[in-house]
Amino acid sequence: MSLDAEVRRGADQEATDWLLRLREAEDAEVYEAFEAWIVAAPANASAWAELGRVSQTMTVALEQAGAAPARTLGMVFQRRRNATARGRQIGPRLTRRTAVAAVAASIAAMVAVAVAPDAVLSIRSDYMSGVHQLCTVQLQDGSVLTLAPRSAVSVDFEGETRRVRLLRGDAYFEVARNPDRPFTVSSSRLKTTVLGTGFEVRSASDQPLVGVRHGRVRVQAETGASRELTAGEGVHLGPTGDLQPFATDPENVAAWRRKQLIVEGRPVAEVVDALRPWYGGVILARGHRLNSDRVTGVYDLNDPVGALTALSRANGASVRRISPWIMTISFD
């Protein structure tokens, strides 16, 4: 991960921390500390502005539905940015009532974003799955596609090549053999070409992967790096565009199809990300050990709350349910 990416991720985590602290704050010192943090670095302001953008979207929707206007995080940030640009003192401190209203609006927005269908993605995709939902379809060539929760693909079988694009999430393919019509799957910076096989593709933005259950595939990265894989082999896309090989039991490829998450020596952050599509709400993860601590284990995807609890106990973290739809896990 580049330094800039680390800074952005750190600011995002700190923004999440402030979201929780402001929600629970009882005195003005917390709000003063928040004001100092948000102007301390451009990355901080950017992370808070992103929360504000989501909050503003939700507020507009509420007002259109007839709800009373709410003070959003975006409005708080805009007020501060305008005052700073004019070189003047901010003025009255945030009141607890204003801050709580802003945080509540942001939390509502995050829940809505997590559970509502992605309208743009639904237009682009041919098949799409919801939260905690597996979707299995037979394609027109006889191939079988299984989507993990919150995943989407587009399909183009026109011409001599069968093309599938994984737009989000994870997918498993059992490909009908046809040497005259190659089957290709494009995902985040990876292209996989097969003739007849069973394999998994994960379209994670930070580390997409391909794993083979049976047969043979060729994986190519945007950088030009390529590798052929057979049963029990897989590759992660490395931070520099290289293909990092790994070995696994073929039966464990796409283990999510039987509602299991099997990890070996993976960062905690990656495990939390894998649990998110199975939880019908928002998971807020924070702490400096998210990317440094490694996890090995088998987790029950039928019970994402239990999986998060087990993950926290095994790694000295704490889990808290803020509401039926929001959980926090802290690796401080």
Side-chain angles (χ1 to χ4, degrees), residues 18 22 27-37 93-94:
W18 277 114
L22 290 173
D27 54 64
E29 291 183 0
V30 174
Y31 305 118
E32 292 174 3
F34 163 72
E35 291 178 341
W37 171 80
R93 297 292 185 184
L94 291 172

Side-chain angles (χ1 to χ4, degrees), residues 125-173:
S125 64
D126 293 299
Y127 303 100
M128 188 172 179
S129 58
V131 175
H132 208 121
Q133 177 189 37
L134 296 180
C135 176
T136 299
V137 295
Q138 184 169 0
L139 303 179
Q140 65 187 61
D141 69 330
S143 298
V144 177
L145 159 71
T146 302
L147 292 177
R150 288 188 59 78
S151 300
V153 297
S154 62
V155 179
D156 178 10
F157 280 8
E158 299 294 330
E160 298 180 353
T161 302
R162 298 170 287 174
R163 299 184 181 90
V164 177
R165 180 158 187 82
L166 181 59
L167 303 174
R168 182 176 69 189
D170 291 7
Y172 178 81
F173 300 87

Side-chain angles (χ1 to χ4, degrees), residues 74-315:
M75 293 166 63
V76 172
F77 173 75
Q78 185 65 45
R79 173 172 171 266
R80 174 168 304 284
R81 184 173 62 181
N82 291 344
T84 302
R86 291 193 298 267
R88 299 191 304 196
Q89 189 171 345
I90 298 303
R93 297 292 185 184
L94 291 172
T95 66
R96 184 173 188 272
R97 182 177 179 181
T98 297
V100 170
V103 172
S106 184
I107 289 176
M110 287 190 297
V111 172
V113 169
V115 302
D118 186 326
V120 174
L121 190 61
S122 66
I123 293 173
R124 295 175 57 203
S125 64
D126 293 299
Y127 303 100
M128 188 172 179
S129 58
V131 175
H132 208 121
Q133 177 189 37
L134 296 180
C135 176
T136 299
V137 295
Q138 184 169 0
L139 303 179
Q140 65 187 61
D141 69 330
S143 298
V144 177
L145 159 71
T146 302
L147 292 177
R150 288 188 59 78
S151 300
V153 297
S154 62
V155 179
D156 178 10
F157 280 8
E158 299 294 330
E160 298 180 353
T161 302
R162 298 170 287 174
R163 299 184 181 90
V164 177
R165 180 158 187 82
L166 181 59
L167 303 174
R168 182 176 69 189
D170 291 7
Y172 178 81
F173 300 87
E174 284 285 351
V175 180
R177 184 175 177 82
N178 186 343
D180 296 327
R181 297 188 71 199
F183 191 106
T184 65
V185 179
S186 299
S187 59
S188 297
R189 295 168 289 160
L190 291 178
K191 180 179 179 180
T192 305
T193 304
V194 303
L195 295 178
T197 188
F199 66 104
E200 172 188 12
V201 180
R202 181 179 303 164
S203 183
S205 59
D206 55 345
Q207 195 176 60
L209 68 76
V210 175
V212 179
R213 181 180 173 89
H214 61 84
R216 181 172 59 88
V217 305
R218 183 175 68 254
V219 181
Q220 184 171 353
E222 288 181 343
T223 59
S226 64
R227 192 178 187 95
E228 289 196 2
L229 307 175
T230 58
E233 297 180 338
V235 289
H236 290 279
L237 182 65
T240 61
D242 57 320
L243 296 177
Q244 301 176 349
F246 66 89
T248 186
D249 185 333
E251 293 299 314
N252 290 340
V253 172
W256 46 261
R257 293 185 301 153
R258 57 178 185 268
K259 308 294 182 67
Q260 285 185 322
L261 173 61
I262 302 175
V263 293
E264 183 175 353
R266 305 308 305 166
V268 168
E270 186 176 314
V271 179
V272 173
D273 285 344
L275 290 171
R276 283 192 168 99
W278 297 84
Y279 178 64
V282 177
I283 299 174
L284 302 175
R286 58 180 178 174
H288 63 279
R289 295 190 289 122
L290 273 171
N291 295 295
S292 60
D293 282 14
R294 300 275 168 165
V295 177
T296 296
V298 180
Y299 300 94
D300 181 4
L301 294 174
N302 278 315
D303 183 13
V305 174
L308 280 170
T309 302
L311 179 66
S312 66
R313 288 175 179 171
N315 294 274

